[in-house]
Amino acid sequence: MAHRKLAIDGFDEEHQQIAQQMQYLSTKSGSEVASLVDQKASAVRAAITRGNSAEALEKALSEPPYGHGLEAAQSANALLVAEVLMATRTQEVNDVVTSLSEDNRDVLLKYIYHGLAHPAEFNCGVLLSWHERVVEAGGLGSIVRVMADRKSI
């Protein structure tokens, strides 16, 4: 019987979860993504040596490696973002954060939370000061968006 005008199968929670997970699968191999992160790292380090922290952070946050099986690339990119955060002078942090788009602020928060989850690898004091500035600029909505996002780093 076709008495329904709305296909409710599309609202099935399990169906939605599978569709969302399939959406974020990477089409590149782990080695391809790792080489892209290495290329990005050289551009980021060049921007750091020029003293342009905002540009370095923009490049480090662009195209983060999402997906299963890319742990090495994700870790390398997280270390790259942390390198930029630690190279930025304290006086520049507010300007750098306000120059970021909302999406990049959310990605930055993901990296900050990743670093706070691995305190042996990252300087938590620096991460907490950046967290404070990002939340000031983006509001509490940025925390909610990061916690609710299925794409993890």
Side-chain angles (χ1 to χ4, degrees):
M1 241 158 98
H3 61 277
R4 289 188 228 151
K5 294 184 183 209
L6 182 64
I8 61 169
D9 294 332
F11 296 114
D12 181 29
E13 186 175 331
E14 183 177 330
H15 175 73
Q16 288 177 349
Q17 288 176 352
I18 291 172
Q20 287 175 347
Q21 290 170 355
M22 295 297 288
Q23 179 180 354
Y24 301 117
L25 289 177
S26 178
T27 58
K28 298 177 182 165
S29 69
S31 60
E32 290 174 333
V33 174
S35 68
L36 289 174
V37 169
D38 289 340
Q39 292 171 1
K40 184 173 28 172
S42 63
V44 167
R45 289 187 181 105
I48 290 173
T49 56
R50 287 193 309 270
N52 194 345
S53 298
E55 178 187 348
L57 191 57
E58 280 283 337
K59 287 182 181 181
L61 295 175
S62 67
E63 300 179 24
Y66 292 123
H68 185 68
L70 303 174
E71 287 79 15
Q74 291 170 344
S75 176
N77 206 52
L79 290 172
L80 182 63
V81 171
E83 184 178 337
V84 174
L85 298 183
M86 288 190 281
T88 305
R89 291 182 295 198
T90 308
Q91 299 86 359
E92 298 177 349
V93 173
N94 280 335
D95 295 334
V96 171
V97 169
T98 55
S99 72
L100 294 174
S101 67
E102 184 177 286
D103 291 336
N104 277 347
R105 274 191 231 127
D106 292 349
V107 173
L108 177 57
L109 268 182
K110 287 180 186 183
Y111 281 111
I112 290 171
Y113 291 143
H114 174 81
L116 291 173
H118 301 92
E121 301 173 32
F122 300 94
N123 184 342
C124 292
V126 171
L127 295 176
L128 285 172
S129 67
W130 274 87
H131 182 272
E132 178 185 3
R133 306 290 172 81
V134 172
V135 172
E136 281 178 8
L140 294 177
S142 57
I143 295 174
V144 173
R145 284 190 299 276
V146 168
M147 293 297 177
D149 195 0
R150 296 186 58 88
K151 298 180 286 185
S152 63
I153 294 175

